[in-house]
Amino acid sequence: DEATATIWQERMGPLRYSFRYGNSLFIALDSEEVGAIGRISDEQVEWLEGELAATNAEHIFLFLHQPYFAKEADPEADIDRWEKHWSNVAEVLRGHPVRIVFGAHWHLYRDCGFRESVRYVITGGGGASYGKLAEEEGGFFHYLLVRVRGDDVQWSVVKTGSILPENIVTS
């Protein structure tokens, strides 16, 4: 709600932002935007479009809390979900070197694969419990170690006591 957004801005800073590091641009979107339930608002997409147009970064990484891009078990539901929740963002990503979109919220790890040359990953395993989700389905505490070396972008899934390859859990 509006009060929560105001508190966040006072204590933490902007609700959406970008920064450049080396040859990469990192963009954080606000998937909890007031008045934009279930999708990124047109106003925020316009801001994103401006950020993309203004950069010459070789690699772009997007971050958001809600994985609006995530695939459902039912392929028909997946098409509807993409159209309702993510198509407005996907449209502005075309033609830009967006390498990975990272979402969270679902307390698991899952490499969702590529769609329109962009890789999608859910990495929500930093804190809360996973209930009964099995480890082979991504139900384990983790964080990612992402490495960018020139044109090469790779990551490892870091789990307590081990480092795992990026494709340890897929859709």
Side-chain angles (χ1 to χ4, degrees):
D1 63 17
E2 197 67 48
T4 305
T6 300
I7 291 169
W8 177 272
Q9 290 173 312
E10 289 170 355
R11 295 181 183 177
M12 303 299 289
L15 299 170
R16 62 179 181 240
Y17 57 91
S18 68
F19 65 92
R20 179 86 185 248
Y21 185 80
N23 65 354
S24 300
L25 177 68
F26 300 84
I27 301 174
L29 297 177
D30 178 12
S31 65
E32 311 302 319
E33 190 175 13
V34 175
I37 306 297
R39 69 180 290 148
I40 303 298
S41 71
D42 292 340
E43 177 189 334
Q44 192 172 178
V45 170
E46 188 176 309
W47 173 85
L48 172 61
E49 198 168 21
E51 294 294 302
L52 295 172
T55 189
N56 64 353
E58 295 174 43
H59 307 288
I60 299 171
F61 302 93
L62 253 62
F63 299 85
L64 67 158
H65 180 226
Q66 296 285 345
Y68 291 141
F69 56 81
K71 294 181 178 182
E72 298 284 343
D74 175 6
E76 293 300 316
D78 179 41
I79 292 167
D80 288 344
R81 182 175 174 82
W82 183 271
E83 283 303 313
K84 284 169 83 173
H85 303 291
W86 191 248
S87 62
N88 63 336
V89 176
E91 180 68 30
V92 302
L93 300 184
R94 289 188 187 112
H96 297 282
V98 177
R99 303 298 178 226
I100 308 169
V101 175
F102 294 105
H105 188 64
W106 300 355
H107 296 212
L108 54 81
Y109 171 78
R110 183 169 298 144
D111 177 356
C112 298
F114 287 90
R115 190 156 181 174
E116 299 179 10
S117 77
V118 176
R119 193 136 184 207
Y120 291 90
V121 176
I122 299 172
T123 176
S129 69
Y130 304 102
K132 299 192 185 297
L133 188 63
E135 281 199 23
E136 60 270 12
E137 294 178 25
F140 52 86
F141 292 109
H142 68 277
Y143 65 91
L144 303 183
L145 175 62
V146 179
R147 292 171 303 281
V148 177
R149 300 285 188 267
D151 292 337
D152 189 41
V153 176
Q154 297 179 13
W155 75 87
S156 299
V157 181
V158 181
K159 177 183 158 191
T160 304
S162 57
I163 298 176
L164 307 169
E166 62 195 37
N167 64 351
I168 190 67
V169 179
T170 66
S171 294

